[in-house]
Amino acid sequence: MDNNLTVDSITLIASTPPKLVSGPISTTFSSASGFPELHVSLHSDEQHSLNFDLRTTQLFRLGECQSLCVSDGCETIKEKIYSKGITIQFKEEEESKAFHGAFELWKSKETIQGSTLPNGSVSSSKSKFDDKIEASSAKMYFHYYGQLLHQQNMMQDYVRTGSYYAAVMENQADFAGRVVVDVGAGSGILSLFAAQAGAKHVYAVEASEMADYAKKLVAGNPVLGQRITVIKGKVEDVELPEKADILISEPMGTLLVNERMLESYVIARDRFLVPNGKMFPTVGRIHMAPFSDEYLYVEIANKSLFWQQQNYYGVDLTALHGTAFQGYFSQPVVDAFDPRLLVAPAVSHVINFTTIKEEDLYEIDVPLKFTASVGTRIHGLACWFDVLFNGSTVQRWLTTAPGAPTTHWYQLRCVLSQPIYVMPGQEITGHLHMIAHSAQSYTINLTMSAKMWGPGAEQGGILQTSSCRLDLKEPYYRMSQPQAYSTAQDQQPNQLLQSQDLQLPSLDEDGSDFIQQPANDSTVQIH
């Protein structure tokens, strides 16, 4: 598999004086010698040429249309030249970008089952990712996703994997004959789905050691694999030889935003996607609603009872009880819960992946406004998310809502250490404020208030306020399945599970039911 590119001219910089060779000059990337090399033809008769071993060669940009290629040594066909490098002149910037992209891909060339697949690598220079993420966090993150058992856990989430497969295969028109970039490819399963749908070529970008397993999986499916290139590196750093018509990725974490991979997804969009290209998924929504769960509240509060001991081997522990009590309530709870625990219709925060700026994900502020449907104690805010694959043929949703089939994301609840008492019809207000931090997660600040209810309520005023600060990086993985709760007061059991058509531009407003479970054929408008 050769890659032929033409440059305008080259200059042999080690010659005295430097020798200019005018073009057009043909260059070829190949691995015919058993290793990746760059072949530069100095004349059309091929009798004078240079061969660069890409394993010991570096390429630097000197300008928009000029680059420097430096090697430990090179040879002509007739004689050895002790030149350490050449400058390359391109006619236009696009030719330069194509050359650099091909160089990066062929630099770590690998042979797979008799056919060659270029698998790119990147330099070790500090990247934008490294600037905002702690090295220790990144090391643990890539180690985690570099293990097959964790990939298996995600692949065995059949709601997740089945939804992706359906979204791709139902929208083959979006993939057939198109260039696809798989952002954070992991095992490469989504790349193989894209190839099944007829993609012209798929670039599977994966930064962890899982890239090596992805190459094996691709090699084990040669009919599909001949159209897949696995590139080991971060999307912030790698170079690709061409633009993508469509991006596919699974960038969602707990509460949609945990692990901060959405930012990498947006960076990939800005770097690789053609104008008006497709993104699978296209839109994400975080849904929030107040809940009442006495069992959960007592369970968390009771954890700190250990610190109320006054004679623990002769030691009084009570001085730490208050700190321990608040510490347990600083952990978001990840589990699956019964949707009948919700006490008000949900509100939603929409993130449109096709338009949002990376910086907009650094800080997310969501105003909260609910009307209580029952009189009860509110113990906090329940959250879940869904994403839309806005295909040309079918619009497919993947949801993590309570009451829907459980996924490996479960749902998330922020529990207040001081519950709020409300009456039916009472208004609940507040804010969910999330600030990204360098450990690839978010600090959550939640405030919920019950506004005055009854006579005099029209004059305003706050009756009760409760707040908490939580670290999304350190959740309490409760992982329990929903318990059989009794129906709250006059609330009908199926009231929370209504479906409706959705119009995305209005999703920041209060919903008309507690859980919005979008039907697969629901109509959604993207602006």
Side-chain angles (χ1 to χ4, degrees), residues 94-344:
E94 289 302 317
E95 289 183 357
S96 173
K97 290 181 179 178
F99 189 90
H100 276 260
F103 182 92
E104 290 294 337
L105 286 175
W106 283 85
K107 189 171 173 62
S108 58
K109 189 77 174 173
E110 292 199 12
T111 302
I112 299 180
Q113 291 190 351
S115 63
T116 56
L117 285 176
N119 292 282
S121 64
V122 296
S123 68
S124 59
S125 59
K126 194 169 185 180
S127 70
K128 186 173 184 179
F129 179 91
D130 299 322
D131 286 334
K132 65 184 182 181
I133 301 300
E134 292 176 4
S136 59
S137 176
K139 182 178 180 180
M140 292 179 63
Y141 175 78
F142 291 124
H143 173 72
Y144 179 90
Y145 285 108
Q147 300 179 67
L148 276 176
L149 71 156
H150 297 304
Q151 294 293 327
Q152 179 178 335
N153 177 53
M154 293 185 291
M155 293 172 70
Q156 286 182 321
D157 180 347
Y158 295 111
V159 176
R160 164 197 180 269
T161 307
S163 294
Y164 268 88
Y165 183 76
V168 173
M169 302 311 293
E170 290 170 342
N171 292 286
Q172 293 188 39
D174 293 324
F175 290 85
R178 307 294 174 84
V179 175
V180 181
V181 171
D182 183 356
V183 181
S187 65
I189 189 68
L190 300 185
S191 296
L192 290 161
F193 288 173
Q196 287 184 47
K200 174 185 176 183
H201 200 84
V202 184
Y203 297 96
V205 182
E206 172 57 42
S208 77
E209 296 303 313
M210 187 52 55
D212 297 327
Y213 294 110
K215 293 172 187 176
K216 290 183 179 180
L217 189 61
V218 166
N221 293 268
V223 175
L224 301 174
Q226 62 184 346
R227 289 180 281 120
I228 300 174
T229 299
V230 179
I231 302 172
K232 189 174 183 180
K234 304 183 186 75
V235 295
E236 292 85 353
D237 305 337
V238 301
E239 298 289 341
L240 299 181
E242 55 187 329
K243 291 287 188 178
D245 301 300
I246 183 169
L247 298 185
I248 190 168
S249 182
E250 198 269 75
M252 300 89 73
T254 306
L255 194 58
L256 183 63
V257 296
N258 188 41
E259 298 178 336
R260 298 184 64 179
M261 192 184 163
L262 285 180
E263 295 165 38
S264 296
Y265 190 37
V266 170
I267 289 171
R269 177 201 70 193
D270 294 340
R271 295 194 66 207
F272 305 133
L273 191 62
V274 299
N276 300 316
K278 287 276 186 181
M279 296 179 74
F280 272 44
T282 316
V283 171
R285 304 185 305 177
I286 302 173
H287 303 277
M288 298 142 286
F291 73 92
S292 178
D293 191 344
E294 291 288 349
Y295 295 108
L296 175 62
Y297 179 80
V298 171
E299 177 186 330
I300 295 175
N302 283 348
K303 288 183 177 184
S304 62
L305 290 179
F306 171 85
W307 298 96
Q308 286 189 328
Q309 297 180 81
Q310 295 178 335
N311 188 12
Y312 180 77
Y313 296 98
V315 177
D316 186 349
L317 302 181
T318 57
L320 296 179
H321 174 260
T323 302
F325 182 83
Q326 293 300 329
Y328 284 119
F329 280 95
S330 71
Q331 291 184 282
V333 177
V334 176
D335 70 347
F337 63 85
D338 193 309
R340 289 173 293 183
L341 294 175
L342 303 178
V343 298

